[in-house]
PDB file of all heavy atoms in Angstrom:
ATOM      1  N   ARG A 184     -91.389   7.930  21.561  1.00 98.00           N
ATOM      2  CA  ARG A 184     -91.827   6.612  22.054  1.00 98.00           C
ATOM      3  C   ARG A 184     -91.306   5.495  21.140  1.00 98.00           C
ATOM      4  O   ARG A 184     -90.982   4.402  21.591  1.00 98.00           O
ATOM      5  CB  ARG A 184     -93.363   6.529  22.114  1.00 98.00           C
ATOM      6  CG  ARG A 184     -94.085   7.567  22.938  1.00 98.00           C
ATOM      7  CD  ARG A 184     -93.437   7.935  24.239  1.00 98.00           C
ATOM      8  NE  ARG A 184     -93.297   6.832  25.197  1.00 98.00           N
ATOM      9  CZ  ARG A 184     -92.713   6.958  26.378  1.00 98.00           C
ATOM     10  NH1 ARG A 184     -92.206   8.124  26.757  1.00 98.00           N
ATOM     11  NH2 ARG A 184     -92.623   5.915  27.189  1.00 98.00           N
ATOM     12  N   THR A 185     -91.204   5.769  19.851  1.00 98.00           N
ATOM     13  CA  THR A 185     -90.656   4.794  18.907  1.00 98.00           C
ATOM     14  C   THR A 185     -89.179   4.538  19.206  1.00 98.00           C
ATOM     15  O   THR A 185     -88.709   3.399  19.126  1.00 98.00           O
ATOM     16  CB  THR A 185     -90.834   5.290  17.455  1.00 98.00           C
ATOM     17  OG1 THR A 185     -92.220   5.519  17.203  1.00 98.00           O
ATOM     18  CG2 THR A 185     -90.301   4.268  16.456  1.00 98.00           C
ATOM     19  N   VAL A 186     -88.451   5.620  19.522  1.00 98.00           N
ATOM     20  CA  VAL A 186     -87.041   5.482  19.900  1.00 98.00           C
ATOM     21  C   VAL A 186     -86.919   4.618  21.159  1.00 98.00           C
ATOM     22  O   VAL A 186     -86.066   3.727  21.241  1.00 98.00           O
ATOM     23  CB  VAL A 186     -86.385   6.860  20.133  1.00 98.00           C
ATOM     24  CG1 VAL A 186     -84.993   6.701  20.756  1.00 98.00           C
ATOM     25  CG2 VAL A 186     -86.283   7.627  18.828  1.00 98.00           C
ATOM     26  N   LEU A 187     -87.781   4.866  22.144  1.00 98.00           N
ATOM     27  CA  LEU A 187     -87.743   4.055  23.374  1.00 98.00           C
ATOM     28  C   LEU A 187     -88.059   2.593  23.093  1.00 98.00           C
ATOM     29  O   LEU A 187     -87.492   1.696  23.729  1.00 98.00           O
ATOM     30  CB  LEU A 187     -88.720   4.614  24.410  1.00 98.00           C
ATOM     31  CG  LEU A 187     -88.390   5.990  24.995  1.00 98.00           C
ATOM     32  CD1 LEU A 187     -89.387   6.357  26.084  1.00 98.00           C
ATOM     33  CD2 LEU A 187     -86.968   6.049  25.545  1.00 98.00           C
ATOM     34  N   GLN A 188     -88.942   2.331  22.129  1.00 98.00           N
ATOM     35  CA  GLN A 188     -89.230   0.942  21.760  1.00 98.00           C
ATOM     36  C   GLN A 188     -88.003   0.296  21.121  1.00 98.00           C
ATOM     37  O   GLN A 188     -87.709  -0.885  21.359  1.00 98.00           O
ATOM     38  CB  GLN A 188     -90.415   0.880  20.794  1.00 98.00           C
ATOM     39  CG  GLN A 188     -90.875  -0.532  20.467  1.00 98.00           C
ATOM     40  CD  GLN A 188     -91.274  -1.327  21.709  1.00 98.00           C
ATOM     41  OE1 GLN A 188     -92.099  -0.879  22.497  1.00 98.00           O
ATOM     42  NE2 GLN A 188     -90.666  -2.505  21.904  1.00 98.00           N
ATOM     43  N   PHE A 189     -87.274   1.079  20.334  1.00 98.00           N
ATOM     44  CA  PHE A 189     -86.024   0.610  19.734  1.00 98.00           C
ATOM     45  C   PHE A 189     -85.001   0.261  20.822  1.00 98.00           C
ATOM     46  O   PHE A 189     -84.348  -0.789  20.776  1.00 98.00           O
ATOM     47  CB  PHE A 189     -85.486   1.701  18.806  1.00 98.00           C
ATOM     48  CG  PHE A 189     -84.102   1.458  18.269  1.00 98.00           C
ATOM     49  CD1 PHE A 189     -83.863   0.457  17.340  1.00 98.00           C
ATOM     50  CD2 PHE A 189     -83.035   2.258  18.674  1.00 98.00           C
ATOM     51  CE1 PHE A 189     -82.589   0.249  16.833  1.00 98.00           C
ATOM     52  CE2 PHE A 189     -81.764   2.065  18.180  1.00 98.00           C
ATOM     53  CZ  PHE A 189     -81.539   1.056  17.250  1.00 98.00           C
ATOM     54  N   VAL A 190     -84.895   1.123  21.825  1.00 98.00           N
ATOM     55  CA  VAL A 190     -84.002   0.876  22.959  1.00 98.00           C
ATOM     56  C   VAL A 190     -84.436  -0.395  23.700  1.00 98.00           C
ATOM     57  O   VAL A 190     -83.611  -1.229  24.084  1.00 98.00           O
ATOM     58  CB  VAL A 190     -83.969   2.094  23.915  1.00 98.00           C
ATOM     59  CG1 VAL A 190     -83.222   1.764  25.208  1.00 98.00           C
ATOM     60  CG2 VAL A 190     -83.346   3.299  23.223  1.00 98.00           C
ATOM     61  N   THR A 191     -85.735  -0.544  23.874  1.00 98.00           N
ATOM     62  CA  THR A 191     -86.281  -1.740  24.518  1.00 98.00           C
ATOM     63  C   THR A 191     -85.938  -2.998  23.730  1.00 98.00           C
ATOM     64  O   THR A 191     -85.505  -4.008  24.305  1.00 98.00           O
ATOM     65  CB  THR A 191     -87.812  -1.621  24.656  1.00 98.00           C
ATOM     66  OG1 THR A 191     -88.119  -0.553  25.558  1.00 98.00           O
ATOM     67  CG2 THR A 191     -88.439  -2.906  25.170  1.00 98.00           C
ATOM     68  N   ASN A 192     -86.117  -2.954  22.417  1.00 98.00           N
ATOM     69  CA  ASN A 192     -85.847  -4.127  21.579  1.00 98.00           C
ATOM     70  C   ASN A 192     -84.382  -4.539  21.643  1.00 98.00           C
ATOM     71  O   ASN A 192     -84.063  -5.735  21.670  1.00 98.00           O
ATOM     72  CB  ASN A 192     -86.249  -3.846  20.132  1.00 98.00           C
ATOM     73  CG  ASN A 192     -87.752  -3.715  19.968  1.00 98.00           C
ATOM     74  OD1 ASN A 192     -88.518  -4.110  20.845  1.00 98.00           O
ATOM     75  ND2 ASN A 192     -88.188  -3.146  18.853  1.00 98.00           N
ATOM     76  N   LEU A 193     -83.485  -3.563  21.672  1.00 98.00           N
ATOM     77  CA  LEU A 193     -82.060  -3.869  21.801  1.00 98.00           C
ATOM     78  C   LEU A 193     -81.768  -4.475  23.178  1.00 98.00           C
ATOM     79  O   LEU A 193     -81.063  -5.481  23.298  1.00 98.00           O
ATOM     80  CB  LEU A 193     -81.220  -2.608  21.605  1.00 98.00           C
ATOM     81  CG  LEU A 193     -80.980  -2.144  20.171  1.00 98.00           C
ATOM     82  CD1 LEU A 193     -80.337  -0.757  20.157  1.00 98.00           C
ATOM     83  CD2 LEU A 193     -80.096  -3.130  19.417  1.00 98.00           C
ATOM     84  N   THR A 194     -82.329  -3.869  24.206  1.00 98.00           N
ATOM     85  CA  THR A 194     -82.076  -4.314  25.581  1.00 98.00           C
ATOM     86  C   THR A 194     -82.532  -5.748  25.798  1.00 98.00           C
ATOM     87  O   THR A 194     -81.871  -6.527  26.499  1.00 98.00           O
ATOM     88  CB  THR A 194     -82.779  -3.374  26.576  1.00 98.00           C
ATOM     89  OG1 THR A 194     -82.266  -2.050  26.409  1.00 98.00           O
ATOM     90  CG2 THR A 194     -82.579  -3.818  28.010  1.00 98.00           C
ATOM     91  N   LYS A 195     -83.651  -6.119  25.191  1.00 98.00           N
ATOM     92  CA  LYS A 195     -84.192  -7.474  25.358  1.00 98.00           C
ATOM     93  C   LYS A 195     -83.222  -8.556  24.907  1.00 98.00           C
ATOM     94  O   LYS A 195     -83.306  -9.702  25.355  1.00 98.00           O
ATOM     95  CB  LYS A 195     -85.504  -7.615  24.579  1.00 98.00           C
ATOM     96  CG  LYS A 195     -86.702  -6.950  25.239  1.00 98.00           C
ATOM     97  CD  LYS A 195     -87.945  -7.112  24.376  1.00 98.00           C
ATOM     98  CE  LYS A 195     -89.168  -6.501  25.038  1.00 98.00           C
ATOM     99  NZ  LYS A 195     -90.373  -6.602  24.156  1.00 98.00           N
ATOM    100  N   GLU A 196     -82.292  -8.217  24.019  1.00 97.00           N
ATOM    101  CA  GLU A 196     -81.364  -9.207  23.479  1.00 97.00           C
ATOM    102  C   GLU A 196     -80.268  -9.597  24.469  1.00 97.00           C
ATOM    103  O   GLU A 196     -79.610 -10.621  24.284  1.00 97.00           O
ATOM    104  CB  GLU A 196     -80.706  -8.669  22.190  1.00 97.00           C
ATOM    105  CG  GLU A 196     -81.675  -8.390  21.055  1.00 97.00           C
ATOM    106  CD  GLU A 196     -82.302  -9.664  20.508  1.00 97.00           C
ATOM    107  OE1 GLU A 196     -81.603 -10.689  20.445  1.00 97.00           O
ATOM    108  OE2 GLU A 196     -83.491  -9.636  20.156  1.00 97.00           O
ATOM    109  N   PHE A 197     -80.080  -8.802  25.518  1.00 96.00           N
ATOM    110  CA  PHE A 197     -78.949  -9.017  26.425  1.00 96.00           C
ATOM    111  C   PHE A 197     -79.372  -9.735  27.705  1.00 96.00           C
ATOM    112  O   PHE A 197     -80.532  -9.696  28.107  1.00 96.00           O
ATOM    113  CB  PHE A 197     -78.300  -7.678  26.769  1.00 96.00           C
ATOM    114  CG  PHE A 197     -77.626  -7.028  25.591  1.00 96.00           C
ATOM    115  CD1 PHE A 197     -78.316  -6.151  24.769  1.00 96.00           C
ATOM    116  CD2 PHE A 197     -76.305  -7.315  25.282  1.00 96.00           C
ATOM    117  CE1 PHE A 197     -77.714  -5.573  23.662  1.00 96.00           C
ATOM    118  CE2 PHE A 197     -75.692  -6.743  24.186  1.00 96.00           C
ATOM    119  CZ  PHE A 197     -76.392  -5.872  23.370  1.00 96.00           C
ATOM    120  N   GLU A 198     -78.391 -10.401  28.334  1.00 93.00           N
ATOM    121  CA  GLU A 198     -78.598 -11.028  29.639  1.00 93.00           C
ATOM    122  C   GLU A 198     -78.303  -9.973  30.706  1.00 93.00           C
ATOM    123  O   GLU A 198     -77.166  -9.515  30.834  1.00 93.00           O
ATOM    124  CB  GLU A 198     -77.664 -12.231  29.789  1.00 93.00           C
ATOM    125  CG  GLU A 198     -77.923 -13.334  28.772  1.00 93.00           C
ATOM    126  CD  GLU A 198     -76.842 -14.398  28.788  1.00 93.00           C
ATOM    127  OE1 GLU A 198     -76.269 -14.636  29.867  1.00 93.00           O
ATOM    128  OE2 GLU A 198     -76.558 -14.965  27.719  1.00 93.00           O
ATOM    129  N   ILE A 199     -79.325  -9.582  31.442  1.00 95.00           N
ATOM    130  CA  ILE A 199     -79.229  -8.444  32.362  1.00 95.00           C
ATOM    131  C   ILE A 199     -79.138  -8.923  33.809  1.00 95.00           C
ATOM    132  O   ILE A 199     -79.956  -9.714  34.258  1.00 95.00           O
ATOM    133  CB  ILE A 199     -80.460  -7.518  32.228  1.00 95.00           C
ATOM    134  CG1 ILE A 199     -80.697  -7.123  30.758  1.00 95.00           C
ATOM    135  CG2 ILE A 199     -80.317  -6.302  33.129  1.00 95.00           C
ATOM    136  CD1 ILE A 199     -79.668  -6.234  30.164  1.00 95.00           C
TER     137      ILE A 199
END
Side-chain angles (χ1 to χ4, degrees):
R184 303 320 299 178
T185 302
V186 170
L187 293 185
Q188 186 58 54
F189 171 70
V190 171
T191 294
N192 292 344
L193 281 170
T194 300
K195 284 178 178 177
E196 298 293 323
F197 293 91
E198 297 170 31
I199 308 292

